[in-house]
Amino acid sequence: MAVLDPKNLPATEEDIDFSDLEDKYSEEVLEDTLDNVVLIDCLPIVDDKKEAKLSALIKKITKNIGKIRENGIHMPKEKSDGKSLSKGYAFVEFENATQATAVVKELNGYKIDKAHVLAVNLFMDVEKYSKISETFVAPPETNFVTKEHMKYWLLDDQSRDQFCIHHDSDLSLNWNNRGKSVEVITSRNKWTETYFQWSPFGTFLVTLHRQGAALWGGPSFKKIVRFVHLSVKFVEFSPLETYFVTFSSDPISLEAVDKALGSGNEHLNPFTDDDVGNHFCIWEVKTGRLLRSFPFVTKEDGTPVTKFGWPCFKWSASESYFARLTPGSKISIYEAPGMGLVGKKSLSVPNVANFEWRPCDDLNLHDRKNHNALAYWIPEVGNQPGRVSIISVPDMNILRTKNIVSVKDIALHWHPSGEALCARINRFTKTKKSTFTSLEIFRLNEKGIPSDVVEFKDNVVVFAWEPKSSDLKFAAIHVTDPTPPQTNASGMATSAVKSNVSFYHFVRTRTKLTVKEEFTLLKTLDKKNTTSISWSPKGRYIVLSTLRTTTVWGLEFYDTEVETLEGVKVTGPNSVQLLNSVEHYGVTDLEWDPSGRYVSTSASVWRHTMENGYSIWDFKGEQLFKTVVDRFKQFLWRPRPQSLLSEAAKDKIRKNLNTYSVEFDEQDRIMESAASIEQLNLRRRLANEWNSWRKTVNARIEELNKLYSQNNTQSVSVVSGDEEVIEEIIEELLEETVEYV
Amino acid sequence: MRPILLQGHTRPLTQIKYNNEGDLLFTVAKDTVVNVWYSHNGERLGTYEGHQGALWSVDVNSKSTLLITGAADNTARLWDVKTGKQLHVWKTNTAVKRVEFSCDNKHILFVTEKRMGFESEIYVFRIDESGTQSDTPVVVIRPKDSKATVAAWSYFDKYIVAGHEDGSVTLYNWRESDPEKQISKTVKVHQDTITDLQTSKDRSYLITSSKDKTAQLIDIETLDLLKLYQSDTSLNTATIIPDRDYVILGGGQAASEVTTTSSHQGKFESRFYHEVFENEIGRVRGHFGPINTVAVSPVGDSFSTGSEDGYVRVHFFDPDYFKYKFDV
């Protein structure tokens, strides 16, 4: 490089040698100007005469995509046999780079005629790819890194369950030590920005951030994968944790994502131009790959429907399909992982109000292809009655349909095993002045899918299937006035509504000639304040609770399969019995642990600020643990995957429970004594520390006492405890009267 | 045992004190009256009248002859306990928030509020038990970083220990007149304002309570944190029970934060903690406002609480209390 010689400065500016700088920067200038040049290859070879015609053709086919600059077509030629022939390609200069890119996209592969299919590329791309080295360089081999065991918590030798709590800005993960104490595994500040969630099998902890969602797992709770979706609001897993759906009310913008990722990380941006403006994203959990993004559904006039229920995309039990509703017109069913519409078009169902997939708790789900079905309902429109239909997917056969009149509203409740569907139908009475509820229950595992009706005189507001029992048991809360009570700003009802809770089950009685099948009432508990019913995930036990009211906080634990001491099952109304009735002040949420052994209740600061915290109860309603935590927000048990044991294996364990329990009782005893010894040791240590500290202090006081008494001739009364107390008790008999009655 | 309810005040209680023998109970509230009661039956012995504003603090000397009070009428007053006669008035610039007799009864300290351009100050005056009182302070301590809210004398009156608004505790060499040398040691112990500071019987350690929901036990010489008592509500007061290993904490949601009338969620209970093991032992309910002040009889047979609700409750310990023992 030429260096300026201070003694011999150039005379004028022109004399300065800028060549080094020009060399350095010229290339970039060139690149800038060539971004709008497109190379069109595989053109017919033409001579001078036909050149104008070909140029006109090029102009014609690009007319609607981009504007060619004046003299923008350059066709290199060569002399051959005295004629000047084109080489079969042309450089075409467009007004700007965007137009050039659009031309490449549209015209690459364009067929002029049979012999000529155009190959259109950006000139700069040709430049770029021609520079790539010919020799193959093997990419560096990456070492195999052992991943952590994602399901490690299931291996706990005491089969404890984990739970995660969210208070203030801290998220902490804990072991539940049989409700007696809580062992913190890890606690992190600002782990999530809004709230957290578990995946359906508990493999992942989901945290939400401004930049997107992150999944954490393994013994060290490392970040497993993250999904970039700015201002993500709602997330949802598919039932087997294969896919992940996110929603953000901010439309996707490439620039915003780039900005959020920071410069140099643009390659991490999962979105392309096709995704711009969309709100929903579907991701693959294992790879973190974006599979597809979706916009809001639109009404017939094209306006987007921004109000929707979550989950918006519902998954079939096998995860092969997912669907979403365009209210009033259609259900769009997509297949996974291809993300294409099944049958290339949405299922048109005029007036459709809602739909639900048939769930399945069978482990061998994948072998049962015909299990994919969904139910939808249509309200009454004009003369047409309302309708509940069950269709199979993907062949869209209607399996069962039922017309219903005087419909106000229908809610669909699938039994968790998928063997029954309950349509909770709110209907008008004949006068249309009041409403009542009838339950239409379809049994899917039987031929023809028969249905039964359970009529209520009043309105069923909450319905819940018992998840495990063989006799299709369910509980329902019914009230006379279905209008929900008034709530305050944070969603707490200001008064407790009187309600009744009823238990039903399916009974089949065979006589010689007939088979009587119907849902019969087991028991009604009336004059309750129950707002919520939660069955144990293992069935049998249920908690009736009054959540989110400002005046009543009752919890009632019931056993619905009472057995006598001899182990004989009680039938009839007496099979439902109260175990315990308790109160958790300010309770807002209730959750069973996945094993059905414990129940957690919590009072969240999201609803009110009084005594926020949580309690752990056993299934009998005995309080085991209670803590008040400032600004407590969320309590969620870590779910467990489905058991791998077959029903037969489970039965065997149940039968031999006595032999197992001896072992566990022994473990309990050892643990309890260990805990108390530990506690005693701690206390002993603290007491010793305190006593030794007191000794040093007493020595100090002694010294000071000497010091001050030397300096001060006057006596100093310091430690009042040393003074002797002289007490004189004088008892005087003042008056004594004796009354004779 | 059924507590004795003392209904002698019309406004929230601010401080209560037992005399050295534990037979008299002095109470002050935001009304202008100082009450003295027989602690064993709750009979009112008399009142000390003269203050023009809310009373903040009271203390009696160890011989139960002289009483000192501090009030929001910018005065501290000395009274004759027996006759109820007002002996002297010290005028200050701002309200007197805390008063206390030294161990040898020869000095008093008072802490003044920071207000109207005046900084918070700690005054020390000499008390002449027989004659007239001087209006010139022995020393004035001016806390620098944060205003002093409470103060007490250490053993042998070696130091004055003060709690500050920023949660720090400072030892002052009050015998030094040079402000630079006065500060012996400062430790930040709380995250929020220190609301009360009481010493142990031998004044070798102290307990602080704070709005940060904790109370702490602190060595008066080294200011080492000895114990921490965590509660679930902001604390207004804490005291050490003599001869037994317990401390009592009192507090509750501030009146402005209480949303419902039920006394259940206000956390207005007095809480007993084990002094050494730091765990909560029990609660005593009763008040329907936050507890502003708690005091234990020096004899150790009873404790009293004064609350925002205007009542003083005198509780005598049940026989169970004396039998209760921890497994060690």
Side-chain angles (χ1 to χ4, degrees), chain B residues 24 38 71 86 117 135 142 216 318:
Chain B
L24 297 180
Y38 285 118
Q86 182 176 309
D135 271 331
R142 295 187 171 82
Q216 302 212 28
D318 292 327

Side-chain angles (χ1 to χ4, degrees), chain A residues 595-607:
Chain A
S595 67
R597 292 175 290 182
Y598 304 100
V599 178
S600 71
T601 55
S602 53
S604 167
V605 74
W606 285 331
R607 301 281 174 186

Side-chain angles (χ1 to χ4, degrees), chain A residues 64-215:
Chain A
N64 290 331
I65 312 162
K67 209 174 168 211
I68 298 171
R69 281 201 181 163
E70 220 166 296
N71 299 326
I73 304 178
H74 176 68
M75 236 179 271
K77 296 197 181 92
E78 61 181 349
K79 289 261 164 90
S80 121
D81 303 341
K83 278 199 276 184
S84 158
L85 287 176
S86 71
K87 283 182 166 179
Y89 55 87
F91 300 103
V92 184
E93 196 180 341
F94 287 91
E95 281 199 325
N96 56 41
T98 0
Q99 287 182 4
T101 339
V103 168
V104 171
K105 209 170 164 186
E106 291 287 317
L107 292 187
N108 193 15
Y110 184 86
K111 241 180 183 171
I112 300 183
D113 52 44
K114 266 189 184 167
H116 299 98
V117 180
L118 296 187
V120 186
N121 287 297
L122 284 176
F123 179 70
M124 289 315 297
D125 280 354
V126 177
E127 187 81 25
K128 193 166 88 191
Y129 294 125
S130 64
K131 276 182 188 165
I132 287 172
S133 157
E134 286 292 310
T135 51
F136 171 73
V137 182
E141 215 169 286
T142 46
N143 283 329
F144 174 73
V145 184
T146 335
K147 283 197 176 159
E148 290 183 332
H149 191 350
M150 297 300 289
K151 292 189 161 58
Y152 83 101
W153 85 101
L154 301 172
L155 300 174
D156 182 58
D157 54 0
Q158 295 164 47
S159 302
R160 293 176 297 176
D161 275 296
Q162 291 187 350
F163 61 89
C164 189
I165 58 170
H166 184 198
H167 59 96
D168 209 355
S169 57
D170 290 355
L171 217 56
S172 72
L173 207 78
N174 306 283
W175 284 113
N176 167 28
N177 285 345
R178 306 179 185 205
K180 284 178 188 120
S181 65
V182 163
E183 185 182 324
V184 179
I185 302 159
T186 175
S187 180
R188 297 179 198 176
N189 189 246
K190 297 191 178 135
W191 202 349
T192 181
E193 283 174 44
T194 45
Y195 61 95
F196 76 93
Q197 207 169 305
W198 287 104
S199 66
F201 292 158
T203 319
F204 305 104
L205 178 76
V206 190
T207 59
L208 302 188
H209 308 267
R210 221 161 290 137
Q211 301 202 342
L215 306 189

Side-chain angles (χ1 to χ4, degrees), chain B residues 207-254:
Chain B
I207 190 164
T208 57
S209 67
S210 164
K211 285 201 194 313
D212 70 2
K213 306 189 177 182
T214 63
Q216 302 212 28
L217 216 61
I218 299 165
D219 187 320
I220 218 161
E221 185 81 38
T222 59
L223 293 191
D224 287 341
L225 304 181
L226 300 171
K227 299 286 167 191
L228 183 140
Y229 311 102
Q230 180 70 49
S231 80
D232 57 357
T233 182
S234 79
L235 295 174
N236 294 333
T237 180
T239 192
I240 302 164
I241 301 184
D243 307 331
R244 293 192 85 82
D245 293 332
Y246 307 119
V247 297
I248 312 176
L249 318 183
Q253 284 170 300

Side-chain angles (χ1 to χ4, degrees), chain A residues 585 610-611 630 680 683-684 686-687 690 693-694 697 700-701 704-705 708 714 717-719 721, chain B residues 103 106 155-156 158 175 202 204-205 213 217 219 221 226-227 259 264-265 275-277 326-328:
Chain A
Y585 176 74
M610 299 168 295
E611 265 187 49
D630 216 22
L680 278 181
R683 282 186 191 163
R684 219 164 276 162
L686 287 173
W690 179 261
W693 175 78
R694 283 304 309 172
V697 170
R700 220 194 282 153
I701 291 173
L704 285 169
N705 212 354
Y708 281 96
Q714 294 160 320
S717 76
V718 206
V719 189
Chain B
C103 313
K106 285 181 183 141
Y155 49 19
F156 304 100
K158 193 175 170 190
R175 290 191 169 93
D202 62 3
S204 63
Y205 58 101
K213 306 189 177 182
L217 216 61
D219 187 320
E221 185 81 38
L226 300 171
K227 299 286 167 191
T259 47
H264 176 69
Q265 58 267 37
E275 189 176 27
V276 182
F277 306 143
F326 255 79
D327 288 344
V328 179

Side-chain angles (χ1 to χ4, degrees), chain B residues 79-91:
Chain B
W79 313 82
D80 183 49
V81 170
K82 208 189 248 174
T83 60
K85 220 171 78 181
Q86 182 176 309
L87 300 176
H88 192 77
V89 181
W90 288 275
K91 287 205 169 68

